Amino acid sequence: MSVKYKVLPRKNPQDILAPEKFYAAAIADCDVDLDRLAELISYQCTVTESDCYAVLLSLEHNIISELGEGRIVKLGRLGNFQVGVSSEGKDTAAEVTASAITKSRILFRPGKRLRGMLESVSFRKAG
């Protein structure tokens, strides 16, 4: 496994006058959609590609639905999805209402095997 990276200059947001420093940033070669995943899965088992695609679409639908109900979605060894929020700080707990929420996002916590993949991946400079 090998991930490409490029080098990007970045300013220090806390000190705009400081000279830029250079950082590595991972870049993707391409993306893999549900069609491709269904195809790959169908080659690895006895289920047809269209059946795999139907299951993946159903999985997507149900993850969205369950997250919308405020549940943590646990996908076994793959990891967990959960809704997270950021809000304005208030002086008292009673002042914190839904209108204080400024941002929502999907949090993903990878499982042990997915985190372990990072230990065996190598990096190569693009270009």
Side-chain angles (χ1 to χ4, degrees):
M1 289 188 283
S2 179
V3 174
K4 289 183 185 177
Y5 71 92
K6 61 184 174 183
V7 179
L8 296 175
R10 293 203 180 126
K11 288 225 177 251
N12 181 344
Q14 296 175 339
D15 184 2
I16 300 297
L17 300 176
E20 288 181 330
K21 290 193 176 185
F22 294 87
Y23 298 87
I27 56 173
D29 275 341
C30 63
D31 55 358
V32 177
D33 60 12
L34 287 182
D35 291 332
R36 177 68 175 143
L37 287 174
E39 179 184 7
L40 291 169
I41 292 167
S42 72
Y43 290 136
Q44 298 166 353
C45 63
T46 59
V47 181
T48 67
E49 184 177 336
S50 58
D51 287 341
C52 290
Y53 186 71
V55 169
L56 290 171
L57 285 178
S58 182
L59 177 65
E60 176 188 42
H61 170 81
N62 286 292
I63 287 172
I64 292 168
S65 177
E66 295 300 315
L67 288 173
E69 294 295 323
R71 297 183 178 107
I72 296 171
V73 178
K74 296 182 175 186
L75 292 180
R77 297 186 302 192
L78 185 61
N80 304 332
F81 291 93
Q82 182 176 0
V83 173
V85 298
S86 298
S87 72
E88 299 169 345
K90 301 292 183 177
D91 292 330
T92 66
E95 291 179 272
V96 179
T97 63
S99 63
I101 295 173
T102 58
K103 181 179 171 185
S104 58
R105 61 196 171 282
I106 303 295
L107 304 174
F108 176 71
R109 282 185 235 96
K112 199 183 267 188
R113 286 183 69 189
L114 200 53
R115 284 191 317 267
M117 178 275 304
L118 294 173
E119 296 172 8
S120 63
V121 73
S122 63
F123 298 93
R124 58 187 161 82
K125 200 171 193 176

